[in-house]
Amino acid sequence: MTDRNPRQLFKTWLLLAVAVMSGMALMAVAGPATLVIVVLLGLAIVKSRFVALDFMGLRQAPSALRLGLLIWPAALVLVAAAKLVLSTAFIS
């Protein structure tokens, strides 16, 4: 895990839980609209950052490792966003 204190880890966990619940509520209220999906993809980037840096203990890791673990979810989000753009372009 990490050497951060349990109180800080709980705050991070709580922030992650709020991000997940807000994404679920947004999807339930607004449905799968393009803007909603973009917001959810943004939340995915934020959540992956907190997990990689806080729960995996990489806040003090070498910068190349941190950068790689943060670029990976960003690349996946860009692929998902490209798929969304292409699917809406071909449907319209």
Side-chain angles (χ1 to χ4, degrees), residues 32-39 41 77-91:
T34 303
L35 181 62
V36 173
I37 294 172
V38 169
V39 169
L41 291 174
V77 163
L78 286 176
V79 169
K83 180 183 176 194
L84 175 67
V85 167
L86 289 174
S87 67
T88 56
F90 288 126
I91 290 175

Side-chain angles (χ1 to χ4, degrees), residues 40-81:
L40 291 176
L41 291 174
L43 279 173
I45 291 287
V46 170
K47 291 185 294 186
S48 65
R49 179 190 174 278
F50 280 116
V51 169
L53 295 181
D54 293 336
F55 285 105
M56 293 175 68
L58 297 176
R59 203 167 280 280
Q60 285 80 29
S63 61
L65 181 61
R66 283 187 316 217
L67 187 62
L69 282 172
L70 296 176
I71 286 177
W72 176 248
L76 291 176
V77 163
L78 286 176
V79 169

Side-chain angles (χ1 to χ4, degrees), residues 9-22:
L9 286 176
F10 178 74
K11 287 180 184 178
T12 303
W13 178 84
L14 197 59
L15 182 69
L16 287 169
V18 167
V20 168
M21 295 298 176
S22 63

